[in-house]
Amino acid sequence: MKKKSFYLVIGILLGINFQNFAQCNADFKESQDPTCVNSPVYFINISEYPSGTTFSWDFGAGATPATSTALNPPPVVYSTPGQKNVELIISNGGSCWDNKQRQLDVAPEPSVTFTSTAPVCPEVGVDFAYTGDLVLEYMWTFGEGATPSSSVLQNPTGIIYSSPGTKNVTLTVSNGFCSITTTQTIDIYSLPIAFAGEDTTICADRSVQLGTDPTANYSYSWFPPSVLDLPYSSNPVASPVASLTNFILSVTDATTGCQATDTILVTMLTPLISDAGNDVEICFGEEVQIGAALVEGQLYSWSPVAGLDDELIPNPISSADTTTLYTLTVTDGICDPVFDDVLVTVHPLPDANAGVNDTITTGSEIQLIATGGVQYIWTPSFSLSNSAVFNPIASPDETTVYTVSVTDIYGCVKTDDIEITVIEPSYWFPNAFTPDGNGINDVFYIRGEGITDFELYIFNRAGQLVYYSENFYEGWNGKKQGSNEEMPEGAYMFKIKGVDTNDTPIDDSGVINLIR
């Protein structure tokens, strides 16, 4: 029986008038039912009452506060679970009184604890395990740098942290009535410092030191190890054989077991090539290309520069006039220069000699004799017995200039000319001869034919007779007749007498130069 009904019955028995009690109607509601241990509950007074009414609240076992006289009491927190009897009594002196009772269910708060596989290294998955009471809902947030950043699984696994440090992990669980949150910290180890060095470029067949100074408690391993002197040190010397080598450094912290890697790319330049070409031979006045093809990235320089059309290209044209040893220097602005030589041998042109100009009469012939080489070609060839020998017989009908091309043993060629004058008279004479025994122009004699009663006189400058002959086909060899003494070089007077084919007397004289 409600207290209000109870007091009405007592009032009737005692003759007391409780009519004014009907003016009070106690009632209230709570902010949530059921609620959770340690969760605040707000009670809201919805009673009907006259002015001057007082209020008395009783919140039941385990409540804080336990009672209140406020119209709307402060939030109430229950420290124990179970059913709680909550009562509100309103009173206005002796004229108005009422009460209201309600039962509030307080659910037990779930436990919220978990474990993890931390501490671990960055990029190593962390597994979390919930160790509290079985609940309905889970909400994890894993802290800075986590992937994924959250989860609704009971036991999330493989959470990756990209950075080291202390991480705040928050777990909120709910049993359908109550939710509770806890935050724990886990540690992510720092990675060791791995520094393989800056990417670098080296010259061909050179070595380079990698890495840096060692750190205590760190162990080192390099790949590939085959071209390193100490592949398990922090700073080995590399002697690569490939044009591009990517070295990978692995560093392990002995304390944490964490490992970090770094790479360095070593570019080895292509070996410089200095190719001056093969030694060559040319004739004076010729030119020849030396060197070889251009290699991209190489810089060229030739020394000496004399005779070259461009001393800064790989294959210049040489027109040296003397035998020259050229040195080619090749650089790339980075590596040491390399060198090569080429000898350009310049052969002088042959000493071509077609002989001394001469005179013949019409219808006669003369032997030409050239010197200075090993091969001869005469032009024009139509009046010669053989244009490809050094001593052809010439029988021109008119005055002719013969050119001989003389080739020596090196293939060098030079030309010389001789003029053969054709005259009408039946005789003529040269103005010089060279009695040096070489078979060419060694004897001075009168040229022509058909002279009878012939006489030839040779006088020195003192007027002394040094030679006399009556044979038209004989001549003076430059020696004194009788003693065979060689006459000195100089000018000598000669005189001829005879009768030509027209029976015309001949009485002629002139000067002949003896040249030694």
Side-chain angles (χ1 to χ4, degrees):
M1 177 184 294
K2 285 188 173 183
K3 286 184 177 182
K4 181 177 180 181
S5 299
F6 172 77
Y7 287 123
L8 286 175
V9 172
I10 295 300
I12 294 172
L13 293 175
L14 297 177
I16 302 173
N17 185 6
F18 290 105
Q19 184 177 2
N20 288 336
F21 276 86
Q23 297 178 7
C24 292
N25 185 14
D27 198 4
F28 65 90
K29 63 181 179 179
E30 59 278 343
S31 60
Q32 56 186 36
D33 183 13
T35 187
C36 293
V37 171
N38 295 323
S39 293
V41 179
Y42 294 88
F43 293 96
I44 303 170
N45 193 336
I46 55 174
S47 303
E48 296 177 357
Y49 52 87
S51 174
T53 301
T54 62
F55 307 91
S56 177
W57 295 83
D58 185 350
F59 301 115
T64 300
T67 61
S68 177
T69 59
L71 172 64
N72 291 299
V76 178
V77 176
Y78 291 90
S79 60
T80 59
Q83 286 190 336
K84 308 298 180 179
N85 293 317
V86 181
E87 182 180 28
L88 169 61
I89 299 174
I90 62 175
S91 174
N92 194 327
S95 63
C96 177
W97 182 95
D98 195 13
N99 76 318
K100 178 71 174 182
Q101 291 183 346
R102 296 174 67 92
Q103 284 188 335
L104 175 67
D105 290 326
V106 178
E109 187 178 64
S111 62
V112 54
T113 57
F114 64 88
T115 61
S116 74
T117 57
V120 298
C121 303
E123 306 299 335
V124 175
V126 179
D127 298 337
F128 294 90
Y130 175 67
T131 57
D133 299 333
L134 185 64
V135 294
L136 297 177
E137 295 179 356
Y138 306 86
M139 184 62 208
W140 299 81
T141 55
F142 300 116
E144 179 186 7
T147 302
S149 61
S150 62
S151 176
V152 295
L153 299 178
Q154 179 182 351
N155 299 308
T157 59
I159 308 305
I160 301 295
Y161 288 89
S162 60
S163 60
T166 299
K167 309 296 180 179
N168 294 318
V169 180
T170 299
L171 171 60
T172 299
V173 298
S174 174
N175 57 12
F177 300 104
C178 304
S179 64
I180 187 169
T181 299
T182 187
T183 298
Q184 296 182 25
T185 60
I186 63 171
D187 289 325
I188 304 299
Y189 293 133
S190 295
L191 288 176
I193 298 174
F195 182 64
E198 301 293 341
D199 292 345
T200 187
T201 298
I202 62 174
C203 299
D205 303 321
R206 296 294 180 87
S207 298
V208 62
Q209 189 167 39
L210 311 179
T212 185
D213 293 335
T215 299
N217 294 327
Y218 283 7
S219 62
Y220 301 86
S221 177
W222 292 83
F223 181 85
S226 58
V227 294
L228 300 175
D229 64 339
L230 297 171
Y232 298 103
S233 68
S234 67
N235 50 4
V237 174
S239 302
V241 295
S243 58
L244 292 175
T245 305
N246 195 39
F247 291 97
I248 302 173
L249 168 64
S250 297
V251 179
T252 303
D253 188 330
T255 302
T256 64
C258 294
Q259 186 179 81
T261 61
D262 192 27
T263 61
I264 178 174
L265 179 64
V266 177
T267 301
M268 185 169 67
L269 297 176
T270 302
L272 294 174
I273 300 174
S274 181
D275 186 0
N278 297 325
D279 293 344
V280 292
E281 298 182 20
I282 62 174
C283 300
F284 181 85
E286 292 181 344
E287 60 184 28
V288 64
Q289 189 170 39
I290 57 178
L294 172 71
V295 177
E296 290 295 334
Q298 294 194 161
L299 303 175
Y300 299 85
S301 176
W302 291 86
S303 177
V305 300
L308 299 180
D309 64 338
D310 190 340
E311 71 276 14
L312 299 179
I313 62 174
N315 47 8
I317 300 298
S318 170
S319 55
D321 54 11
T322 60
T323 296
T324 303
L325 180 68
Y326 289 103
T327 298
L328 172 61
T329 301
V330 175
T331 65
D332 59 4
I334 301 174
C335 302
D336 293 337
V338 293
F339 308 91
D340 193 28
D341 295 330
V342 61
L343 180 65
V344 178
T345 301
V346 180
H347 296 293
L349 297 181
D351 186 14
N353 188 354
V356 179
N357 295 340
D358 211 337
T359 303
I360 63 173
T361 58
T362 302
S364 62
E365 58 186 27
I366 186 173
Q367 186 173 37
L368 306 181
I369 299 178
T371 59
V374 295
Q375 182 178 347
Y376 303 85
I377 297 295
W378 292 87
T379 58
S381 61
F382 60 85
S383 59
L384 299 177
S385 60
N386 187 342
S387 63
V389 296
F390 77 96
N391 56 350
I393 302 298
S395 54
D397 293 330
E398 58 184 0
T399 298
T400 302
V401 175
Y402 292 97
T403 299
V404 62
S405 293
V406 179
T407 303
D408 63 12
I409 59 174
Y410 304 109
C412 298
V413 179
K414 188 178 181 182
T415 62
D416 193 28
D417 296 333
I418 182 173
E419 183 177 30
I420 302 301
T421 302
V422 179
I423 60 175
E424 291 297 333
S426 58
Y427 71 93
W428 73 97
F429 40 83
N431 57 15
F433 74 115
T434 57
D436 52 10
N438 66 353
I440 302 174
N441 201 28
D442 285 336
V443 178
F444 167 69
Y445 57 90
I446 302 303
R447 311 293 179 86
E449 58 186 22
I451 298 179
T452 59
D453 297 332
F454 177 76
E455 292 180 277
L456 172 60
Y457 302 86
I458 304 293
F459 302 94
N460 63 16
R461 291 184 179 181
Q464 296 174 331
L465 181 66
V466 297
Y467 177 80
Y468 172 77
S469 175
E470 294 180 353
N471 187 342
F472 180 78
Y473 297 101
E474 291 182 353
W476 181 42
N477 62 3
K479 296 181 180 180
K480 187 173 183 179
Q481 196 172 32
S483 65
N484 211 29
E485 173 188 356
E486 288 189 353
M487 302 304 295
E489 185 177 72
Y492 292 82
M493 177 70 71
F494 69 88
K495 183 177 179 61
I496 60 173
K497 290 184 178 183
V499 178
D500 65 15
T501 55
N502 296 321
D503 293 330
T504 301
I506 297 174
D507 189 357
D508 204 351
S509 62
V511 175
I512 180 67
N513 289 296
L514 188 155
I515 300 174
R516 294 196 182 276

